[in-house]
Amino acid sequence: MTMEMAGQGLSDAMWMCERITTLHRTQALDRFLAGIERRAFRMAKIATGDADEAMDLVQDAMLKLVQHYSDRDEAEWGPLFHRILQHRIRDWYRRTKVRNRWRQWLGKGEESDAQSDFLESVPDTSQLSSDKQLALKRAAVALEQALRTLPFRQQQVFLLRAWEELDVAQTATAMGCSQGSVKTHYFRAVHTLRKLLGDHWS
């Protein structure tokens, strides 16, 4: 075998390894996005109160993650994705605030339509009595209403910590703030939710 042929064989092997690595990473990223999409949509819907806006924000955040961070370690994807999503939600808030000011100035301010429950599917209740199913549905409605009364940062920190189960450091990365701020926002959110939810609190 000539040196040229050996070099070509090594090049082909390296190319194949790169293809396999890329395939595995793509599959892992697809699994990550599929696993996080529904929860991310609910978080964005709580923040915006609009299903279409929420879906746009989530899809944009997913696209940005794939474009800019697909080569990062898989363990980093969660905090990075949520940081992108938080930026998109804050941008949405700013745009909405400006639009609402113009509407009020032009005399066209309108109340938004009543929003459907973001917890449209509570955990499987088929084995529960009708009374318990009703109680769970009422608790879900009460939770959504309570979450929407929280200041934005408290709301999102609570969801990242309690729902996404990110630790304090990961939540700080996602929110772009200090770990101390995360602890403060989370404590205040829990305190407020306990008062608002009362008997519904679990």
Side-chain angles (χ1 to χ4, degrees):
M1 180 183 293
T2 67
M3 291 293 292
E4 183 177 346
M5 292 175 62
Q8 182 61 45
L10 180 60
S11 178
D12 289 345
M14 291 176 64
W15 177 82
M16 183 62 69
C17 286
E18 288 176 1
R19 286 292 302 274
I20 292 173
T21 300
T22 300
L23 177 62
H24 287 168
R25 180 166 290 276
T26 300
Q27 291 173 339
L29 189 56
D30 287 344
R31 286 194 300 271
F32 169 79
L33 295 175
I36 205 168
E37 181 178 15
R38 185 173 178 80
R39 298 193 308 276
F41 168 74
R42 289 179 174 178
M43 290 180 67
K45 188 164 180 265
I46 291 172
T48 64
D50 186 292
D52 291 334
E53 295 282 3
M55 183 55 69
D56 286 345
L57 293 171
V58 171
Q59 289 178 345
D60 187 45
M62 287 181 168
L63 180 61
K64 292 297 186 294
L65 180 75
V66 172
Q67 288 177 333
H68 301 292
Y69 300 107
S70 60
D71 60 340
R72 298 287 281 272
D73 189 90
E74 190 172 344
E76 297 181 63
W77 288 342
L80 284 169
F81 170 78
H82 284 294
R83 184 165 191 172
I84 296 168
L85 181 60
Q86 293 302 314
H87 283 305
R88 294 294 172 273
I89 292 173
R90 284 196 289 271
D91 288 343
W92 179 88
Y93 265 105
R94 283 192 286 269
R95 292 195 306 271
T96 302
K97 195 172 182 180
V98 171
R99 285 198 300 265
N100 287 342
R101 283 176 182 167
W102 276 104
R103 286 173 184 161
Q104 290 171 1
W105 185 71
L106 294 171
K108 296 181 180 178
E110 298 178 354
E111 291 295 324
S112 61
D113 295 334
Q115 302 299 325
S116 58
D117 178 18
F118 88 99
L119 290 173
E120 61 270 10
S121 57
V122 288
D124 182 16
T125 59
S126 59
Q127 304 302 317
L128 300 177
S129 68
S130 58
D131 287 345
K132 288 186 176 180
Q133 289 184 39
L134 180 59
L136 277 175
K137 289 179 181 178
R138 286 177 175 169
V141 171
L143 174 60
E144 179 183 2
Q145 292 173 342
L147 283 169
R148 287 185 175 174
T149 67
L150 294 176
F152 171 73
R153 293 184 76 79
Q154 289 183 31
Q155 175 196 97
Q156 296 298 300
V157 164
F158 177 83
L159 289 171
L160 289 171
R161 294 281 290 117
W163 194 354
E164 287 297 311
E165 298 183 345
L166 299 187
D167 61 28
V168 173
Q170 291 172 327
T171 304
T173 297
M175 294 294 296
C177 63
S178 69
Q179 294 187 32
S181 292
V182 168
K183 293 175 183 177
T184 299
H185 289 313
Y186 184 72
F187 173 81
R188 290 176 178 170
V190 170
H191 182 71
T192 301
L193 289 174
R194 284 186 184 276
K195 289 196 301 184
L196 291 175
L197 292 174
D199 294 337
H200 293 300
W201 182 264
S202 173

